[in-house]
Amino acid sequence: MTVFAMSFLAFIPQLKAQKQAFVDTQYILSNIPEYGDAQDILNSLSEKWQKEITDKHAQVQAMYKAYQAEEVLLPSDVKKKRRDAIMQKDQEVQALQKKYFGPKGELFKKREELIKPIQEKVYNAIETVATNEHIDFVFDKAGSPTLLYGNPKFDISDEVLNEVGNVLQTNTQQ
C-alpha cells in the first residue's frame, strides 16, 4: 500500500466523527434583557402573593392565640365554632397558597406566559446554529448536562424500541 493510501485510510474515521458543542443557557438567558424583565415581573408577583399568604397566616395565628387564651372560659359549643372557624381560615390560606404557587398555579402560568417564548427562541437559535455549523449534538453546561439538539440521523430510539420489543417477546416466550 502506498503512503498516500495509508494516510487516506487514517483520515476516514475523522470524516465520520460527530461534531459536538455546548452552550451555557444561564449565560445566554442572563444576557437577554426580556428574560431579566420577565424574571423581575415573576419575582414581584411572587413577593406580593407571599406577603398576602403571610398576612393571612398571621390572622390564623392570632385567631388561635385568642382561642387558647379564652378556651377555658368558653362553653363547648362556642369552642367548637371557634375551632371550626380557625380550621376554615387555615384551609383558605392553604388553598390560596396552592392557587398561587401550586404546580398549575398562577405563578406557573405566568412563568409559562413570560419565559417559555424566550426559551423557545433560544432553543430555535441553538438548532439554527447547530444546523448551519454542521454540529450533530449540542449540550447545555448550565446545571446538569442536557442534550439541547441532536441531529435526527443519530436518533436510535426506534431501534431501541424494536430491541426492547424483541427482548420482551423473548422473555414472554420462555
Side-chain angles (χ1 to χ4, degrees), residues 14-161:
Q14 292 177 348
L15 291 176
K16 294 191 182 228
Q18 299 165 351
K19 197 171 175 186
Q20 301 175 19
F22 69 88
V23 295
D24 184 341
T25 54
Q26 284 181 323
Y27 168 77
I28 293 168
L29 290 172
S30 69
N31 283 287
I32 298 174
E34 294 84 0
Y35 182 78
D37 294 344
Q39 283 297 112
D40 290 345
I41 291 169
L42 291 173
N43 290 340
S44 175
L45 283 173
S46 179
E47 288 171 12
K48 174 185 162 192
W49 291 336
Q50 187 59 49
K51 182 181 179 339
E52 182 181 349
I53 290 168
T54 301
D55 291 348
K56 290 188 182 289
H57 189 66
Q59 291 173 0
V60 172
Q61 290 297 329
M63 289 172 67
Y64 183 68
K65 283 183 182 180
Y67 168 77
Q68 282 183 318
E70 301 169 354
E71 179 180 17
V72 291
L73 305 173
L74 299 174
S76 60
D77 62 328
V78 174
K79 283 182 189 180
K80 182 177 178 350
K81 286 181 182 179
R82 299 270 299 270
R83 281 193 310 259
D84 289 348
I86 293 168
M87 288 176 35
Q88 175 68 30
K89 188 75 168 172
D90 188 51
Q91 289 173 351
E92 289 172 10
V93 173
Q94 290 176 13
L96 186 62
Q97 187 168 9
K98 185 177 179 181
K99 174 187 171 191
Y100 289 149
F101 299 107
K104 300 283 184 186
E106 297 297 319
L107 188 63
F108 174 83
K109 291 174 186 173
K110 197 67 172 173
R111 181 174 286 124
E112 285 280 307
E113 175 190 326
L114 297 173
I115 302 293
K116 193 173 182 177
I118 298 168
Q119 288 175 327
E120 287 176 359
K121 287 179 184 177
V122 170
Y123 293 129
N124 289 339
I126 290 169
E127 185 176 352
T128 300
V129 170
T131 303
N132 292 342
E133 299 290 326
H134 306 290
I135 297 170
D136 296 313
F137 299 100
V138 177
F139 295 91
D140 185 1
K141 76 173 194 168
S144 60
T146 304
L147 179 66
L148 296 175
Y149 171 80
N151 188 325
K153 75 179 181 182
F154 294 109
D155 184 353
I156 61 169
S157 300
D158 289 331
E159 290 83 351
V160 171
L161 279 174

